[in-house]
Amino acid sequence: MPSMSAPSEVSDPSAEVWHYDGRSALRRSARLTVDGDDGFRLVGDGVSDERHAFAALTPADADGDRRSFGLRGRPGWRIGLAAPVPPEIAARLPGAQRYGGWIDRLGLWRAAAISAMLAAVAVAIVLQTPALLARLIPTSVEQRLGEVMVGDFGRTGCAAPAGTAALARLAQRIDPDDPTRDIHVVKLPMVNAVTLPGGRIVVFDGLLQAARSPDEVAGVIGHEIGHVRGRDVMESLLRQLGLSVLLGGMEGHVGGYTNALLATAYSRGAEARADGYAIRLLDEAHVSPRPTAAFFARLAKAQAGTERMFAYLASHPLSDARAARFRTSAKADAGYTPALDPADWQALRGICRGETNRIEWRF
Amino acid sequence: MSDPSAAPVRAFRFTGRWQDYAPIAFTNLLLTIVTLGIYTFWGRARTRRYLWSRTRFIDDRLEYTGTGLELFLGYVIAFFVIVLPFGIVNLAIQGTLMRGHQGAAAVTGMIVYLAILYLVGVARFRALRYRLSRTYWHGIRGGSSQAGLGYGWRYFWQTIVATFTVYLLMPWSMVRLWNQRWNAMSFGSLPFRSHARWQPVFGRFLLFYLLPVILFGAVALLVAAIGFSGGFDGPRSTVPSPGMVLAIALGGLAFYIVFFGVLGLIAMTFYAAFFREAVGATSLGSLDFGFEATTRDWILLYLGNLALVVVTFGIGAIFLQYRNWAFFIRHLNAYGEIAVDDLLQSRERAPGQGEGLLDAFDVGAF
């Protein structure tokens, strides 16, 4: 740069660099010379001498070569400086990047702590809001969702007329105030009962056969009615959805296990609430809770035994505490009567006799 | 300046040390956990920046310029374009099943499976193209003129052909797909060329293919022999004694370990041969590649990885990417010359986002 002032030769700091221009693979040697306060030029054989701003340099990689820089908007363009970089130039070069963006600015530990707090808040929101949200969703919407998800599963189940009538009487006995109940029996050998999206309760025939009295069935149905009233199915659907989106970035298994763990923790709470609801229904209907307690105790004892018991255990984790809760809710002088008379009880157990649904190939 | 035969130095060298990589691996793990997994994309980019920067080819190191943001965006796009629609279709299939339309559900499921097969092919191609486009050497990057849609079809029908021949044509489809994938790639102004053949690796594949049949037959014979020689003599009660149950369980476990252990080892002999053939048949300009890992090397890598993960209760998994890359580079070689004066920048368009599609299917790029 021709200049009138004599000392300009000394005042412009410069350094040796190697250089790729991003157009050809040739490695060139050049001299980087500071030009003005915030720019530089490269001078060398076959090197373009256009002026670049120091601010246009991309940060070096802290894990790699800390004295090698790219140029924004020019892929492949690189310079690398030799060991002692003159301080005038070093001061103008961008800082190295390690973790990327804001973590470098905050520092690793502070960034990790802030992230952990945000993550905790996010998880808490996703775990807590479904309970509120589920109650805001109209029943009609949930029923339509249930239609989409499970169709008429259960509705076309066992329908022996006497049994259906007995089932209706049992439901009316323990839950007299709600005409919209939707309870069905399907002919499957599992000892289980489920509440489906949309509030449909499906009792499996295996449970009716494993039960020793109508009071035991009444307790189980009371529990499922508790799930329907608590909107528990909708709540767990929303929670699952939230968790799977939130943990979607995690490595497959890790995310899945965390998700299952958190969901299980919450489903225990829902089970306990449904038990409380069942106990209240039984008490109001003057049906003894002791048989239900005995039923749970029997299942818990058979835990290692018959395989078909597992279905109920998986969805309704049993414990002595649960059975005990039903047992201790019994009152001495409550005047309990059986949930169904013997004839109705026989009819209910025979609900799957005769024409029932068959699984066939349909389009 | 670039004549590898003049020096005893290998064309590819890996100069990383696990002690240097450990801080990267552990901080990646920490940040991934506290961000509920979101950092994993940035962590992966950082790992690659390290591994590439410790990989020297002839006279200079490689450079990886992909960013976590690109990988993240790729994942988000794949989530909305692939994962979400497939999730909804899955729900619909369940609904159809619940209504008793098993036939319709089966047909829909089949269509979904075929669509995924096609997309996996596209994903593999695009992941390789993306990685090449972010790999720089001497300021030059790789790329491809294709987007992978055509490769997706080839992957689709060749996999189906291999399936219909009870996987007998597996080597044929693997080798052809390798050639088709690499023949569509380029580095700078030079195209990759690959002409691998399936015939040289077919013998080892047959060994791998037939061994389970032979092993199974042998065990069946053995069981029959014990049965006839009176091993199960005595009053045949329906409840076997605890000792008998234990013996059967241990026998089953031993069979399981031997079966899959031996099968795994045989699979390694095939895999080693396949990789040597495939990489050895690949070239870039006047540069021929070679891969020198023997079956023994592969087995040691595999056992080392297994031991690392088991001994550290899974935490060692954060070092697997490092080990695999180091293994790959240490056995990769190149012969011939590369004329840096003639090597010009790639003219192919660089893809905007990362390997989201591949992430969505959880498959590897190579």
Side-chain angles (χ1 to χ4, degrees), chain A residues 20 22-25 27 63 65 75-76 78 98-99 108 115 119 147-151 248 359-363, chain B residues 27 34 37 39-40 46 49 54 60-61 63 75 95 98-104 136 138-139 340 343-345:
Chain A
Y20 295 126
R23 292 192 205 97
S24 100
R27 184 187 177 103
D63 302 320
D65 186 347
R78 291 213 77 82
R98 193 182 292 274
Y99 308 100
L108 172 67
S115 298
E147 283 302 315
V148 172
M149 288 180 68
V150 295
I359 289 174
E360 49 196 39
W361 284 76
R362 279 199 285 153
F363 284 88
Chain B
T27 45
V34 298
Y39 185 79
T40 188
R46 192 175 166 216
R49 273 202 303 276
R54 298 301 189 276
D60 203 0
R61 56 195 191 87
E63 194 195 347
Y75 179 81
M98 285 290 196
R99 281 174 184 74
H101 300 268
Q102 286 88 351
Y136 281 81
H138 275 237
V340 283
L343 181 59
L344 300 178
Q345 186 58 282

CSV table of all heavy atoms in Angstrom, one decimal, chain A residues 20 22-25 27 63 65 75-76 78 98-99 108 115 119 147-151 248 359-363, chain B residues 27 34 37 39-40 46 49 54 60-61 63 75 95 98-104 136 138-139 340 343-345:
chain,number,residue,atom,x,y,z
A,20,TYR,N,-6.1,-22.2,1.6
A,20,TYR,CA,-6.9,-22.8,0.6
A,20,TYR,C,-7.9,-21.8,0.1
A,20,TYR,O,-8.6,-21.2,1.0
A,20,TYR,CB,-7.6,-24.1,1.1
A,20,TYR,CG,-6.7,-25.2,1.5
A,20,TYR,CD1,-6.8,-25.7,2.8
A,20,TYR,CD2,-5.7,-25.7,0.6
A,20,TYR,CE1,-5.9,-26.8,3.2
A,20,TYR,CE2,-4.9,-26.7,1.0
A,20,TYR,CZ,-5.0,-27.2,2.3
A,20,TYR,OH,-4.1,-28.2,2.7
A,22,GLY,N,-10.7,-22.6,-1.6
A,22,GLY,CA,-12.0,-23.2,-1.8
A,22,GLY,C,-12.4,-23.4,-3.2
A,22,GLY,O,-13.5,-23.9,-3.5
A,23,ARG,N,-11.5,-23.1,-4.2
A,23,ARG,CA,-11.8,-23.4,-5.6
A,23,ARG,C,-10.9,-24.5,-6.1
A,23,ARG,O,-11.4,-25.4,-6.8
A,23,ARG,CB,-11.6,-22.1,-6.4
A,23,ARG,CG,-12.6,-21.0,-6.1
A,23,ARG,CD,-12.5,-19.9,-7.1
A,23,ARG,NE,-13.0,-18.7,-6.5
A,23,ARG,CZ,-12.2,-17.7,-6.0
A,23,ARG,NH1,-10.9,-17.8,-6.0
A,23,ARG,NH2,-12.7,-16.7,-5.4
A,24,SER,N,-9.6,-24.5,-5.8
A,24,SER,CA,-8.8,-25.6,-6.2
A,24,SER,C,-8.1,-26.1,-4.9
A,24,SER,O,-8.2,-25.5,-3.8
A,24,SER,CB,-7.7,-25.1,-7.1
A,24,SER,OG,-6.5,-24.9,-6.5
A,25,ALA,N,-7.6,-27.4,-5.0
A,25,ALA,CA,-7.0,-28.0,-3.9
A,25,ALA,C,-5.6,-27.6,-3.5
A,25,ALA,O,-5.0,-28.1,-2.6
A,25,ALA,CB,-7.1,-29.6,-4.1
A,27,ARG,N,-2.5,-25.9,-2.0
A,27,ARG,CA,-2.2,-25.2,-0.8
A,27,ARG,C,-1.2,-24.1,-1.1
A,27,ARG,O,-0.2,-24.4,-1.6
A,27,ARG,CB,-1.6,-26.3,0.2
A,27,ARG,CG,-1.4,-25.7,1.6
A,27,ARG,CD,-0.6,-26.8,2.4
A,27,ARG,NE,-0.3,-26.4,3.7
A,27,ARG,CZ,-0.9,-26.8,4.8
A,27,ARG,NH1,-2.0,-27.6,4.7
A,27,ARG,NH2,-0.5,-26.4,6.0
A,63,ASP,N,-11.5,-28.0,19.6
A,63,ASP,CA,-11.0,-29.4,19.8
A,63,ASP,C,-10.0,-29.8,18.6
A,63,ASP,O,-9.4,-30.8,18.7
A,63,ASP,CB,-12.2,-30.4,19.7
A,63,ASP,CG,-13.2,-30.1,20.7
A,63,ASP,OD1,-12.8,-29.8,21.9
A,63,ASP,OD2,-14.4,-30.2,20.4
A,65,ASP,N,-7.8,-27.6,15.2
A,65,ASP,CA,-6.7,-26.7,15.0
A,65,ASP,C,-7.2,-25.3,15.4
A,65,ASP,O,-8.1,-24.7,14.8
A,65,ASP,CB,-6.3,-26.7,13.5
A,65,ASP,CG,-5.1,-25.8,13.2
A,65,ASP,OD1,-4.8,-25.0,14.1
A,65,ASP,OD2,-4.6,-25.9,12.1
A,75,PRO,N,-17.4,-21.4,1.3
A,75,PRO,CA,-17.1,-22.8,1.8
A,75,PRO,C,-15.7,-23.2,1.2
A,75,PRO,O,-15.4,-23.0,0.1
A,75,PRO,CB,-18.2,-23.6,1.2
A,75,PRO,CG,-19.2,-22.7,0.7
A,75,PRO,CD,-18.6,-21.3,0.5
A,76,GLY,N,-14.9,-23.8,2.1
A,76,GLY,CA,-13.6,-24.3,1.6
A,76,GLY,C,-12.5,-23.4,1.8
A,76,GLY,O,-11.3,-23.7,1.8
A,78,ARG,N,-9.9,-21.3,3.6
A,78,ARG,CA,-9.3,-21.4,4.9
A,78,ARG,C,-7.9,-20.8,5.0
A,78,ARG,O,-7.2,-20.7,4.0
A,78,ARG,CB,-9.1,-22.9,5.2
A,78,ARG,CG,-10.4,-23.7,5.5
A,78,ARG,CD,-10.2,-24.7,6.5
A,78,ARG,NE,-10.2,-24.2,7.9
A,78,ARG,CZ,-11.3,-23.9,8.6
A,78,ARG,NH1,-12.5,-24.1,8.0
A,78,ARG,NH2,-11.2,-23.5,9.8
A,98,ARG,N,-16.3,-24.4,21.1
A,98,ARG,CA,-16.2,-25.8,21.6
A,98,ARG,C,-17.5,-26.5,21.5
A,98,ARG,O,-17.7,-27.5,20.8
A,98,ARG,CB,-15.6,-25.8,23.0
A,98,ARG,CG,-15.2,-27.2,23.4
A,98,ARG,CD,-14.7,-27.1,24.9
A,98,ARG,NE,-13.4,-26.4,25.0
A,98,ARG,CZ,-12.2,-26.9,24.8
A,98,ARG,NH1,-12.1,-28.2,24.5
A,98,ARG,NH2,-11.1,-26.2,25.0
A,99,TYR,N,-18.5,-26.0,22.3
A,99,TYR,CA,-19.8,-26.7,22.3
A,99,TYR,C,-20.8,-26.1,21.3
A,99,TYR,O,-21.8,-26.7,21.0
A,99,TYR,CB,-20.4,-26.6,23.7
A,99,TYR,CG,-19.4,-27.0,24.8
A,99,TYR,CD1,-18.7,-26.1,25.6
A,99,TYR,CD2,-19.2,-28.3,25.1
A,99,TYR,CE1,-17.8,-26.5,26.5
A,99,TYR,CE2,-18.4,-28.8,26.0
A,99,TYR,CZ,-17.7,-27.8,26.8
A,99,TYR,OH,-16.8,-28.2,27.7
A,108,LEU,N,-19.6,-24.2,30.4
A,108,LEU,CA,-20.3,-25.5,30.4
A,108,LEU,C,-21.2,-25.7,31.6
A,108,LEU,O,-22.3,-26.1,31.5
A,108,LEU,CB,-19.2,-26.6,30.3
A,108,LEU,CG,-19.7,-28.0,30.5
A,108,LEU,CD1,-20.6,-28.4,29.3
A,108,LEU,CD2,-18.5,-29.0,30.7
A,115,SER,N,-29.9,-25.6,31.7
A,115,SER,CA,-30.6,-26.6,30.9
A,115,SER,C,-31.3,-27.6,31.8
A,115,SER,O,-32.5,-28.0,31.6
A,115,SER,CB,-29.6,-27.4,30.0
A,115,SER,OG,-29.0,-26.5,29.1
A,119,ALA,N,-35.2,-28.3,31.8
A,119,ALA,CA,-35.7,-29.6,31.5
A,119,ALA,C,-36.6,-30.1,32.6
A,119,ALA,O,-37.7,-30.6,32.3
A,119,ALA,CB,-34.5,-30.6,31.4
A,147,GLU,N,-63.7,-43.9,19.3
A,147,GLU,CA,-64.2,-44.6,18.1
A,147,GLU,C,-63.1,-44.8,17.1
A,147,GLU,O,-63.0,-45.9,16.5
A,147,GLU,CB,-65.3,-43.7,17.4
A,147,GLU,CG,-66.7,-43.8,18.0
A,147,GLU,CD,-67.3,-45.2,18.1
A,147,GLU,OE1,-67.2,-45.9,17.1
A,147,GLU,OE2,-67.8,-45.5,19.2
A,148,VAL,N,-62.3,-43.7,16.9
A,148,VAL,CA,-61.2,-43.9,15.9
A,148,VAL,C,-60.2,-44.9,16.4
A,148,VAL,O,-59.7,-45.7,15.6
A,148,VAL,CB,-60.5,-42.5,15.8
A,148,VAL,CG1,-59.2,-42.6,14.9
A,148,VAL,CG2,-61.4,-41.5,15.2
A,149,MET,N,-59.9,-44.9,17.7
A,149,MET,CA,-58.8,-45.8,18.2
A,149,MET,C,-59.2,-47.2,18.3
A,149,MET,O,-58.5,-48.1,18.0
A,149,MET,CB,-58.3,-45.2,19.5
A,149,MET,CG,-57.4,-44.0,19.3
A,149,MET,SD,-56.8,-43.4,20.9
A,149,MET,CE,-55.7,-44.7,21.3
A,150,VAL,N,-60.4,-47.5,18.9
A,150,VAL,CA,-60.8,-48.8,19.2
A,150,VAL,C,-62.0,-49.3,18.5
A,150,VAL,O,-62.4,-50.5,18.6
A,150,VAL,CB,-60.9,-49.1,20.7
A,150,VAL,CG1,-59.6,-48.9,21.4
A,150,VAL,CG2,-62.0,-48.2,21.3
A,151,GLY,N,-62.7,-48.4,17.7
A,151,GLY,CA,-63.9,-48.8,17.0
A,151,GLY,C,-65.0,-49.4,17.9
A,151,GLY,O,-65.2,-48.9,19.0
A,248,GLY,N,-38.3,-37.3,22.6
A,248,GLY,CA,-38.1,-37.9,21.3
A,248,GLY,C,-36.6,-37.8,20.9
A,248,GLY,O,-36.1,-38.6,20.1
A,359,ILE,N,-63.7,-63.8,15.4
A,359,ILE,CA,-62.8,-63.0,14.7
A,359,ILE,C,-62.7,-63.5,13.3
A,359,ILE,O,-62.3,-64.7,13.1
A,359,ILE,CB,-61.4,-62.9,15.4
A,359,ILE,CG1,-61.6,-62.1,16.7
A,359,ILE,CG2,-60.3,-62.4,14.5
A,359,ILE,CD1,-60.3,-62.1,17.6
A,360,GLU,N,-63.0,-62.8,12.3
A,360,GLU,CA,-62.9,-63.2,10.9
A,360,GLU,C,-62.3,-62.2,10.1
A,360,GLU,O,-62.2,-61.0,10.4
A,360,GLU,CB,-64.3,-63.6,10.4
A,360,GLU,CG,-65.3,-62.5,10.7
A,360,GLU,CD,-66.8,-63.0,10.5
A,360,GLU,OE1,-67.1,-64.1,10.9
A,360,GLU,OE2,-67.6,-62.2,10.0
A,361,TRP,N,-61.9,-62.6,8.9
A,361,TRP,CA,-61.2,-61.7,8.0
A,361,TRP,C,-62.2,-60.8,7.3
A,361,TRP,O,-63.1,-61.3,6.6
A,361,TRP,CB,-60.4,-62.4,6.9
A,361,TRP,CG,-59.1,-62.9,7.6
A,361,TRP,CD1,-59.0,-64.0,8.4
A,361,TRP,CD2,-57.8,-62.4,7.4
A,361,TRP,NE1,-57.7,-64.1,8.8
A,361,TRP,CE2,-57.0,-63.1,8.3
A,361,TRP,CE3,-57.3,-61.3,6.7
A,361,TRP,CZ2,-55.6,-62.9,8.4
A,361,TRP,CZ3,-56.0,-61.0,6.9
A,361,TRP,CH2,-55.1,-61.8,7.7
A,362,ARG,N,-62.1,-59.5,7.4
A,362,ARG,CA,-63.1,-58.6,6.8
A,362,ARG,C,-62.3,-57.5,6.2
A,362,ARG,O,-61.3,-57.1,6.6
A,362,ARG,CB,-64.0,-58.1,7.8
A,362,ARG,CG,-65.2,-59.0,8.2
A,362,ARG,CD,-66.3,-58.2,8.8
A,362,ARG,NE,-66.0,-57.8,10.2
A,362,ARG,CZ,-66.5,-56.8,10.8
A,362,ARG,NH1,-67.3,-56.0,10.1
A,362,ARG,NH2,-66.2,-56.5,12.0
A,363,PHE,N,-62.9,-56.9,5.1
A,363,PHE,CA,-62.3,-55.7,4.5
A,363,PHE,C,-63.2,-54.5,4.5
A,363,PHE,O,-64.4,-54.7,4.6
A,363,PHE,CB,-61.9,-56.1,3.0
A,363,PHE,CG,-60.7,-56.9,2.9
A,363,PHE,CD1,-60.8,-58.3,2.9
A,363,PHE,CD2,-59.4,-56.3,2.8
A,363,PHE,CE1,-59.6,-59.1,2.8
A,363,PHE,CE2,-58.3,-57.1,2.8
A,363,PHE,CZ,-58.4,-58.5,2.7
B,27,THR,N,-18.7,-34.7,28.1
B,27,THR,CA,-19.5,-33.4,28.1
B,27,THR,C,-20.7,-33.6,27.2
B,27,THR,O,-21.8,-33.1,27.5
B,27,THR,CB,-18.7,-32.2,27.7
B,27,THR,OG1,-17.9,-32.5,26.6
B,27,THR,CG2,-17.8,-31.8,28.8
B,34,VAL,N,-29.1,-33.2,30.3
B,34,VAL,CA,-29.7,-32.0,30.8
B,34,VAL,C,-30.6,-31.3,29.8
B,34,VAL,O,-31.5,-30.5,30.2
B,34,VAL,CB,-28.8,-31.0,31.5
B,34,VAL,CG1,-28.0,-31.7,32.6
B,34,VAL,CG2,-27.8,-30.5,30.4
B,37,GLY,N,-32.0,-34.7,25.6
B,37,GLY,CA,-31.7,-35.3,24.3
B,37,GLY,C,-31.5,-34.4,23.2
B,37,GLY,O,-31.0,-34.7,22.1
B,39,TYR,N,-29.4,-31.9,22.8
B,39,TYR,CA,-28.0,-31.6,22.5
B,39,TYR,C,-27.4,-32.7,21.6
B,39,TYR,O,-26.3,-32.5,21.1
B,39,TYR,CB,-27.2,-31.4,23.8
B,39,TYR,CG,-25.8,-30.9,23.5
B,39,TYR,CD1,-25.6,-29.6,23.1
B,39,TYR,CD2,-24.8,-31.8,23.6
B,39,TYR,CE1,-24.3,-29.2,22.9
B,39,TYR,CE2,-23.5,-31.4,23.3
B,39,TYR,CZ,-23.2,-30.1,22.9
B,39,TYR,OH,-22.0,-29.7,22.7
B,40,THR,N,-28.0,-33.9,21.6
B,40,THR,CA,-27.4,-35.0,20.9
B,40,THR,C,-26.9,-34.7,19.5
B,40,THR,O,-25.9,-35.1,19.1
B,40,THR,CB,-28.3,-36.2,20.9
B,40,THR,OG1,-27.6,-37.3,20.5
B,40,THR,CG2,-29.5,-36.0,20.1
B,46,ARG,N,-20.0,-32.4,17.1
B,46,ARG,CA,-18.7,-32.2,17.8
B,46,ARG,C,-17.8,-33.4,17.7
B,46,ARG,O,-16.6,-33.3,17.4
B,46,ARG,CB,-18.9,-31.8,19.2
B,46,ARG,CG,-17.7,-31.2,19.9
B,46,ARG,CD,-18.0,-30.7,21.3
B,46,ARG,NE,-16.7,-30.5,21.9
B,46,ARG,CZ,-16.5,-30.8,23.2
B,46,ARG,NH1,-17.5,-31.2,24.0
B,46,ARG,NH2,-15.3,-30.5,23.8
B,49,ARG,N,-16.4,-33.5,14.2
B,49,ARG,CA,-15.4,-32.5,14.0
B,49,ARG,C,-14.0,-33.0,14.6
B,49,ARG,O,-13.0,-32.9,14.0
B,49,ARG,CB,-15.7,-31.2,14.7
B,49,ARG,CG,-16.6,-30.3,13.8
B,49,ARG,CD,-16.5,-28.9,14.3
B,49,ARG,NE,-16.9,-28.7,15.7
B,49,ARG,CZ,-18.1,-28.5,16.1
B,49,ARG,NH1,-19.1,-28.5,15.2
B,49,ARG,NH2,-18.4,-28.3,17.4
B,54,ARG,N,-8.7,-35.4,13.3
B,54,ARG,CA,-7.6,-36.3,13.7
B,54,ARG,C,-7.3,-37.3,12.6
B,54,ARG,O,-6.6,-38.3,12.8
B,54,ARG,CB,-7.8,-37.0,15.0
B,54,ARG,CG,-8.0,-36.1,16.2
B,54,ARG,CD,-6.7,-35.2,16.4
B,54,ARG,NE,-6.8,-34.5,17.6
B,54,ARG,CZ,-7.4,-33.3,17.8
B,54,ARG,NH1,-8.0,-32.7,16.8
B,54,ARG,NH2,-7.4,-32.7,19.0
B,60,ASP,N,-2.6,-33.7,4.7
B,60,ASP,CA,-3.4,-32.7,5.4
B,60,ASP,C,-4.6,-33.4,6.1
B,60,ASP,O,-5.0,-34.5,5.6
B,60,ASP,CB,-3.9,-31.6,4.5
B,60,ASP,CG,-4.2,-30.3,5.4
B,60,ASP,OD1,-4.0,-30.4,6.6
B,60,ASP,OD2,-4.7,-29.3,4.8
B,61,ARG,N,-5.1,-32.8,7.1
B,61,ARG,CA,-6.2,-33.4,7.9
B,61,ARG,C,-7.5,-33.2,7.2
B,61,ARG,O,-7.7,-32.2,6.4
B,61,ARG,CB,-6.2,-33.0,9.3
B,61,ARG,CG,-6.3,-31.5,9.4
B,61,ARG,CD,-6.0,-31.0,10.8
B,61,ARG,NE,-6.4,-29.6,10.9
B,61,ARG,CZ,-7.6,-29.2,11.2
B,61,ARG,NH1,-8.5,-30.1,11.6
B,61,ARG,NH2,-7.9,-27.9,11.2
B,63,GLU,N,-11.5,-32.1,7.4
B,63,GLU,CA,-12.3,-31.1,8.2
B,63,GLU,C,-13.8,-31.4,8.0
B,63,GLU,O,-14.2,-31.6,6.9
B,63,GLU,CB,-12.0,-29.7,7.8
B,63,GLU,CG,-12.4,-28.7,8.8
B,63,GLU,CD,-12.4,-27.3,8.2
B,63,GLU,OE1,-11.9,-27.1,7.1
B,63,GLU,OE2,-13.0,-26.4,8.8
B,75,TYR,N,-33.8,-33.7,11.6
B,75,TYR,CA,-34.6,-34.5,12.4
B,75,TYR,C,-36.0,-34.0,12.5
B,75,TYR,O,-37.0,-34.7,12.4
B,75,TYR,CB,-34.0,-34.7,13.8
B,75,TYR,CG,-34.8,-35.5,14.7
B,75,TYR,CD1,-34.7,-36.9,14.7
B,75,TYR,CD2,-35.6,-34.9,15.7
B,75,TYR,CE1,-35.4,-37.7,15.5
B,75,TYR,CE2,-36.4,-35.7,16.5
B,75,TYR,CZ,-36.3,-37.1,16.4
B,75,TYR,OH,-37.0,-37.9,17.3
B,95,GLY,N,-57.1,-49.0,14.7
B,95,GLY,CA,-58.5,-48.9,14.7
B,95,GLY,C,-59.2,-49.9,13.7
B,95,GLY,O,-60.2,-50.5,14.1
B,98,MET,N,-59.2,-53.2,15.4
B,98,MET,CA,-60.2,-53.2,16.5
B,98,MET,C,-61.6,-53.4,15.9
B,98,MET,O,-62.5,-54.0,16.5
B,98,MET,CB,-60.2,-52.0,17.3
B,98,MET,CG,-59.0,-51.9,18.2
B,98,MET,SD,-59.2,-53.1,19.5
B,98,MET,CE,-58.0,-52.5,20.7
B,99,ARG,N,-61.8,-52.9,14.7
B,99,ARG,CA,-63.1,-53.1,14.1
B,99,ARG,C,-63.3,-54.4,13.4
B,99,ARG,O,-64.3,-54.7,12.8
B,99,ARG,CB,-63.4,-52.0,13.0
B,99,ARG,CG,-63.8,-50.7,13.6
B,99,ARG,CD,-63.8,-49.6,12.6
B,99,ARG,NE,-64.1,-48.3,13.2
B,99,ARG,CZ,-63.2,-47.6,13.9
B,99,ARG,NH1,-62.0,-48.1,14.0
B,99,ARG,NH2,-63.6,-46.4,14.4
B,100,GLY,N,-62.2,-55.2,13.4
B,100,GLY,CA,-62.3,-56.6,12.9
B,100,GLY,C,-62.0,-56.7,11.4
B,100,GLY,O,-62.2,-57.7,10.8
B,101,HIS,N,-61.4,-55.6,10.8
B,101,HIS,CA,-61.0,-55.7,9.4
B,101,HIS,C,-59.6,-56.1,9.3
B,101,HIS,O,-58.7,-55.3,8.9
B,101,HIS,CB,-61.2,-54.3,8.7
B,101,HIS,CG,-62.6,-53.8,8.8
B,101,HIS,ND1,-63.5,-54.1,7.8
B,101,HIS,CD2,-63.3,-53.1,9.7
B,101,HIS,CE1,-64.7,-53.5,8.1
B,101,HIS,NE2,-64.6,-52.9,9.2
B,102,GLN,N,-59.3,-57.3,9.6
B,102,GLN,CA,-57.9,-57.8,9.6
B,102,GLN,C,-57.3,-57.7,8.3
B,102,GLN,O,-56.1,-57.3,8.1
B,102,GLN,CB,-57.8,-59.2,10.1
B,102,GLN,CG,-58.0,-59.4,11.6
B,102,GLN,CD,-59.5,-59.6,11.9
B,102,GLN,OE1,-60.3,-59.4,11.1
B,102,GLN,NE2,-59.7,-59.9,13.2
B,103,GLY,N,-58.1,-58.0,7.2
B,103,GLY,CA,-57.5,-58.0,5.9
B,103,GLY,C,-57.1,-56.6,5.5
B,103,GLY,O,-55.9,-56.4,5.1
B,104,ALA,N,-57.9,-55.6,5.7
B,104,ALA,CA,-57.6,-54.2,5.4
B,104,ALA,C,-56.3,-53.8,6.2
B,104,ALA,O,-55.4,-53.1,5.7
B,104,ALA,CB,-58.7,-53.3,5.7
B,136,TYR,N,-14.3,-31.8,4.2
B,136,TYR,CA,-13.3,-31.0,3.4
B,136,TYR,C,-11.9,-31.6,3.5
B,136,TYR,O,-11.5,-32.0,4.6
B,136,TYR,CB,-13.3,-29.5,3.8
B,136,TYR,CG,-14.5,-28.8,3.3
B,136,TYR,CD1,-15.8,-28.9,3.9
B,136,TYR,CD2,-14.4,-27.9,2.2
B,136,TYR,CE1,-16.9,-28.2,3.4
B,136,TYR,CE2,-15.5,-27.2,1.7
B,136,TYR,CZ,-16.7,-27.3,2.4
B,136,TYR,OH,-17.8,-26.6,1.9
B,138,HIS,N,-8.2,-30.2,1.8
B,138,HIS,CA,-7.5,-29.1,1.0
B,138,HIS,C,-8.6,-28.1,0.5
B,138,HIS,O,-8.5,-27.6,-0.6
B,138,HIS,CB,-6.9,-29.7,-0.2
B,138,HIS,CG,-5.4,-30.2,0.1
B,138,HIS,ND1,-4.4,-29.8,-0.6
B,138,HIS,CD2,-5.0,-31.0,1.0
B,138,HIS,CE1,-3.3,-30.3,-0.2
B,138,HIS,NE2,-3.6,-31.1,0.8
B,139,GLY,N,-9.6,-27.8,1.3
B,139,GLY,CA,-10.6,-26.9,1.0
B,139,GLY,C,-11.6,-27.4,0.0
B,139,GLY,O,-12.4,-26.6,-0.6
B,340,VAL,N,-3.4,-32.5,-6.9
B,340,VAL,CA,-4.1,-31.4,-6.3
B,340,VAL,C,-4.3,-30.2,-7.2
B,340,VAL,O,-5.3,-29.5,-7.1
B,340,VAL,CB,-3.4,-31.0,-5.0
B,340,VAL,CG1,-3.7,-32.0,-3.9
B,340,VAL,CG2,-1.9,-30.8,-5.2
B,343,LEU,N,-7.5,-30.9,-9.0
B,343,LEU,CA,-8.7,-31.1,-8.1
B,343,LEU,C,-9.4,-29.8,-7.8
B,343,LEU,O,-8.9,-29.0,-7.1
B,343,LEU,CB,-8.3,-31.8,-6.8
B,343,LEU,CG,-9.5,-32.2,-5.9
B,343,LEU,CD1,-10.5,-33.1,-6.6
B,343,LEU,CD2,-8.9,-32.8,-4.6
B,344,LEU,N,-10.6,-29.6,-8.4
B,344,LEU,CA,-11.3,-28.4,-8.2
B,344,LEU,C,-12.5,-28.6,-7.4
B,344,LEU,O,-12.9,-29.7,-7.1
B,344,LEU,CB,-11.7,-27.8,-9.6
B,344,LEU,CG,-10.6,-27.6,-10.6
B,344,LEU,CD1,-11.1,-27.1,-11.9
B,344,LEU,CD2,-9.6,-26.5,-10.0
B,345,GLN,N,-13.1,-27.5,-6.9
B,345,GLN,CA,-14.2,-27.5,-6.0
B,345,GLN,C,-15.4,-28.2,-6.6
B,345,GLN,O,-15.6,-28.1,-7.8
B,345,GLN,CB,-14.6,-26.1,-5.5
B,345,GLN,CG,-15.6,-26.1,-4.5
B,345,GLN,CD,-15.2,-26.8,-3.2
B,345,GLN,OE1,-15.3,-28.0,-3.2
B,345,GLN,NE2,-14.8,-26.1,-2.2
